Amino acid sequence: MKSCTVLITGASRGIGHAAAIAFASKGYRLVLNCLHSKDMLETFAAELGRDYGVSVLTCCGDIGDYHFVCELFNRIKNFSPGVDVLVNNAGIDYIGLLSDMSLEEWDHVIRTNLTSVFSCCKLAIPYMVSQKQGKIINISSAWGSVGASCEAAYSAAKGGINALTKALAKELAPSNIQVNAIACGVIDTDMNRCFSREERAALSEEIPAGRFGTSEEAAQLILQLAQSPSYLTGQVIGLDGGWI
Ligand code: NAD
């Protein structure tokens, strides 16, 4: 049986890291990206190869830069015929008043969180269309639908991902390519290391499940979406312990 290739952006830590382990455990070939942590990603790739016997290509660089994404897909051509599953996971937050945000900071948040999704989808789709199958899974946020004070740019980028998911799902359904998003609530990763112990406790109390989600729970849902029925498309699925 043909082994499927999954590209996971932002795979050096957090949700992307956990997703890489989940896909490796099912025998997928992996293409892993992150921004800076080249050595860490290569060590991780070697561990996945050793523990699960899977092939792994690593490629560090800025996923918000379209030219880098072109380079990444050129490298993929020597590794695999194409990408069967695309997990657009890389993301950054920005906390602060919109009025204090510079144009450069706004652009950085939008490029990293949203333009990266455009670029990876654009370059992954032709192979998926030729195969008449493919899965695109976008990692969004609860803030993409309800908005967060002092995270306006991040909320706008994630709201953009939600709309892109729904539109692209319609565009690609005739080609048997499914596009879905996961709107995470609070997941216990480095992205939330800024919270003090008291803030964590207060936030946990607001969440009906009474706790933060884990990267492994997000990874489990990502893998399930990669293996879900083809009739499931265009959905933004909340993973937030009943919070929103
Ligand atoms: P994290 O900070 O632990 O990891 C982020 C990953 O993205 C890292 O591997 C980093 O190298 C990579 N990355 C950042 N900028 C990049 C760039 N320009 N190019 C390539 N890679 C880049 O974050 P996480 O919590 O695992 O978040 C993963 C995704 O989940 C993000 O899209 C985030 O917005 C989303 N999300 C997270 C939470 C949460 O509570 N943790 C909530 C909602 C949504």
Side-chain angles (χ1 to χ4, degrees):
M1 202 181 82
K2 175 189 154 223
S3 163
C4 286
T5 299
V6 57
L7 164 59
I8 305 170
T9 67
S12 61
R13 62 187 208 184
I15 295 169
H17 188 273
I21 295 171
F23 280 99
S25 74
K26 297 293 176 196
Y28 283 75
R29 293 159 65 83
L30 301 159
V31 182
L32 304 181
N33 152 264
C34 74
L35 183 57
H36 292 310
S37 314
K38 188 170 182 290
D39 292 346
M40 198 199 285
L41 199 64
E42 280 170 6
T43 305
F44 179 42
E47 284 167 8
L48 292 174
R50 186 195 60 214
D51 295 349
Y52 300 103
V54 291
S55 309
V56 187
L57 172 70
T58 60
C59 200
C60 273
D62 181 0
I63 206 75
D65 173 359
Y66 181 71
H67 300 291
F68 165 72
V69 181
C70 291
E71 224 179 278
L72 167 65
F73 275 80
N74 274 336
R75 285 193 56 196
I76 292 172
K77 279 185 199 149
N78 298 323
F79 173 75
S80 165
V83 170
D84 303 278
V85 179
L86 167 62
V87 182
N88 287 308
N89 167 74
I92 50 163
D93 199 0
Y94 174 96
I95 298 179
L97 295 172
L98 185 83
S99 49
D100 290 340
M101 193 174 197
S102 68
L103 178 60
E104 289 71 28
E105 287 166 333
W106 165 270
D107 187 50
H108 185 219
V109 172
I110 299 297
R111 272 195 305 109
T112 308
N113 290 293
L114 182 58
T115 310
S116 60
V117 179
F118 156 77
S119 306
C120 290
C121 288
K122 178 179 163 60
L123 296 172
I125 286 167
Y127 172 76
M128 291 180 176
V129 169
S130 75
Q131 297 299 298
K132 268 224 155 248
Q133 64 175 23
K135 300 274 190 197
I136 298 174
I137 301 154
N138 299 324
I139 308 306
S140 186
S141 160
W143 297 151
S145 47
V146 299
S149 168
C150 295
E151 294 184 68
Y154 180 76
S155 302
K158 295 300 190 182
I161 288 182
N162 293 351
L164 176 61
T165 298
K166 292 175 190 178
L168 198 56
K170 290 179 178 164
E171 198 167 306
L172 295 177
S175 302
N176 190 33
I177 299 164
Q178 291 76 48
V179 190
N180 291 292
I182 299 174
C184 296
V186 192
I187 309 295
D188 199 2
T189 69
D190 286 336
M191 194 175 253
N192 293 316
R193 289 291 170 260
C194 55
F195 293 131
S196 67
R197 187 194 290 255
E198 294 71 30
E199 285 168 333
R200 280 179 68 96
L203 191 50
S204 296
E205 256 183 51
E206 271 183 44
I207 301 168
R211 62 173 179 85
F212 290 10
T214 67
S215 294
E216 289 71 27
E217 287 171 311
Q220 192 186 344
L221 183 55
I222 294 168
L223 182 64
Q224 280 168 347
L225 279 178
Q227 299 179 338
S228 63
S230 59
Y231 213 56
L232 178 66
T233 195
Q235 302 306 304
V236 177
I237 299 164
L239 182 73
D240 61 12
W243 194 29
I244 301 300

